[in-house]
Amino acid sequence: MQDLIYSPLQQTYSENGQTVKIYIYRMEGTPWTLEAVDMHGNSTVWDETFETDQAALEEFFRTVAEEGIGVLVGEPSGEMDAASQDLEDSNTEEEWMELDDFLMSEAVSDKTMSLDMLDGYMTAIVVGPTSLPATSWYPGIWGDREEDAPAFASMEEAKRIMGLIIGHYNGIIRSIELDPDTHAPFFDYYQDESGEHVDGELWAYGFMRGLDLNRQDWQALFDDPRGLEWMEPIRLLGSEELSEEEYARMDIPEEREKLTLQIPDCLAAIYRFWLPYREAIRELDLARTYQREHPKIGRNDPCPCGSGKKFKKCCGKASILH
């Protein structure tokens, strides 16, 4: 598995009653990526990358200084602030095909997720109880071993593919939060003599892998009889721990198709199940983090960077950050 390198400059920032978590990360040999995640789990990823993590952090504070922290904060409904629209967007049909081509190319190992598996993987992260930053789930796309890391042709290609993946992730968020009843998972289709059939086996396998990232947080759903019912089609199609009878059942294409067609309704129910929980976590985060992590520095105080200058003459300048 290709490890992400995390910057020690990552932090939580609060201003005017709003809080975002700043994530700065990169892959080996690539520039730094800047991501801000608000208290609702909405993610803003900058299109541009940065040669240093310091430059990424400076860009975050420049954005906040010029546009306000509100540009990085969305709503629980999933509607995005118009000012942040240019920072992230969901993929177009052509971009989906571009991402699919890369995931199937010689540049990746046979452990890399297919597009339908990736869709299920990220959907579990979106509908689950806990918001996870991209740093915690992105490496798992490629495989479990270091040698499974993709062989990007250039830093530009690495940036492009990461952007397409984040774009697809953001598209899932907006689709489900806009109307979970009409969200369409990215299932596989196949043709035989009887016509076209849908098969969600790989999608469900990806969903189960996404769930495993924070399985302990899902326990309330597993303890609820309704939750077990909603999870049953996904479990049967995507779990590696089935009885002999269940394995035999999953060998029947008609059974897989019947279970696949049940998933969209189950997915909407799972999403709604966790809504009160996510709202409670959001309120708790508000109570805990709507304070600056450090005391406010006076303009005439010594600058904490150790330069020996007054804060207003050093890091207090809008254009400087040590």
Side-chain angles (χ1 to χ4, degrees):
M1 178 174 64
Q2 185 173 28
D3 294 329
L4 287 182
I5 301 169
Y6 310 117
S7 167
L9 299 180
Q10 294 187 155
Q11 58 190 272
T12 298
Y13 180 77
S14 298
E15 183 179 288
N16 299 328
Q18 295 177 310
T19 296
V20 296
K21 295 181 179 180
I22 308 168
Y23 296 97
I24 304 172
Y25 50 89
R26 66 183 176 90
M27 294 178 291
E28 186 69 37
T30 67
W32 293 94
T33 291
L34 174 61
E35 177 183 9
V37 179
D38 70 11
M39 59 278 192
H40 309 302
N42 298 310
S43 171
T44 299
V45 179
W46 273 247
D47 286 336
E48 62 181 304
T49 53
F50 306 90
E51 289 304 314
T52 66
D53 54 349
Q54 183 67 45
L57 188 61
E58 289 178 5
E59 175 60 21
F60 170 84
F61 284 108
R62 184 200 65 77
T63 299
V64 171
E66 293 183 358
E67 305 179 48
I69 194 172
V71 75
L72 305 174
V73 177
E75 297 292 336
S77 65
E79 295 180 4
M80 295 183 61
D81 189 299
S84 66
Q85 189 72 38
D86 62 336
L87 291 179
E88 57 180 1
D89 200 4
S90 56
N91 289 349
T92 64
E93 185 77 23
E94 292 75 16
E95 288 170 329
W96 277 23
M97 297 302 297
E98 181 183 350
L99 177 57
D100 186 38
D101 287 343
F102 183 82
L103 295 176
M104 300 296 291
S105 72
E106 295 294 327
V108 301
S109 76
D110 58 3
K111 302 297 183 181
T112 294
M113 294 182 180
S114 59
L115 188 57
D116 51 344
M117 191 186 304
L118 176 62
D119 187 84
Y121 179 69
M122 295 193 293
T123 300
I125 297 165
V126 170
V127 304
T130 309
S131 297
L132 300 175
T135 51
S136 67
W137 53 261
Y138 181 82
I141 295 170
W142 311 110
D144 298 325
R145 306 168 303 174
E146 185 175 345
E147 54 265 35
D148 293 329
F152 293 116
S154 65
M155 291 185 184
E156 283 302 312
E157 183 179 56
K159 173 188 171 184
R160 173 64 176 171
I161 295 303
M162 179 180 284
L164 291 175
I165 290 171
I166 294 296
H168 189 56
Y169 174 74
N170 289 329
I172 295 171
I173 292 175
R174 285 194 286 279
S175 174
I176 290 177
E177 293 188 343
L178 180 63
D179 187 355
D181 294 315
T182 61
H183 175 72
F186 195 90
F187 294 139
D188 189 22
Y189 287 83
Y190 68 93
Q191 191 85 21
D192 64 15
E193 61 278 358
S194 62
E196 187 176 65
H197 303 277
V198 60
D199 190 340
E201 184 173 11
L202 288 178
W203 184 96
Y205 179 71
F207 188 99
M208 295 301 293
R209 287 187 61 179
L211 185 153
D212 282 339
L213 293 174
N214 58 334
R215 174 176 282 271
Q216 69 281 357
D217 295 345
W218 287 71
Q219 191 58 48
L221 184 76
F222 304 147
D223 292 338
D224 191 307
R226 298 171 304 163
L228 293 177
E229 182 179 345
W230 299 330
M231 282 296 302
E232 186 69 356
I234 301 174
R235 182 190 71 83
L236 287 171
L237 286 166
S239 177
E240 295 181 328
E241 299 178 0
L242 301 178
S243 66
E244 290 186 9
E245 294 80 6
E246 289 172 334
Y247 273 121
R249 181 183 174 190
M250 292 306 98
D251 281 338
I252 303 172
E254 292 78 11
E255 281 294 307
R256 292 202 304 273
E257 182 170 43
K258 182 170 69 174
L259 290 168
T260 299
L261 294 175
Q262 296 173 19
I263 288 177
D265 288 341
C266 295
L267 197 58
I270 292 169
Y271 169 73
R272 290 191 173 98
F273 176 88
W274 289 119
L275 273 177
Y277 180 87
R278 285 195 295 267
E279 181 63 20
I281 292 296
R282 184 183 76 85
E283 293 297 332
L284 184 61
D285 284 345
L286 292 176
R288 287 177 174 174
T289 64
Y290 272 6
Q291 299 289 333
R292 289 183 180 269
E293 290 192 330
H294 306 288
K296 186 175 180 179
I297 303 169
R299 298 276 292 161
N300 290 312
D301 291 342
C303 188
C305 75
S307 66
K309 300 178 182 179
K310 290 183 179 181
F311 179 66
K312 67 181 180 182
K313 295 291 186 180
C314 191
C315 291
K317 289 185 177 181
S319 62
I320 300 176
L321 182 67
H322 287 300

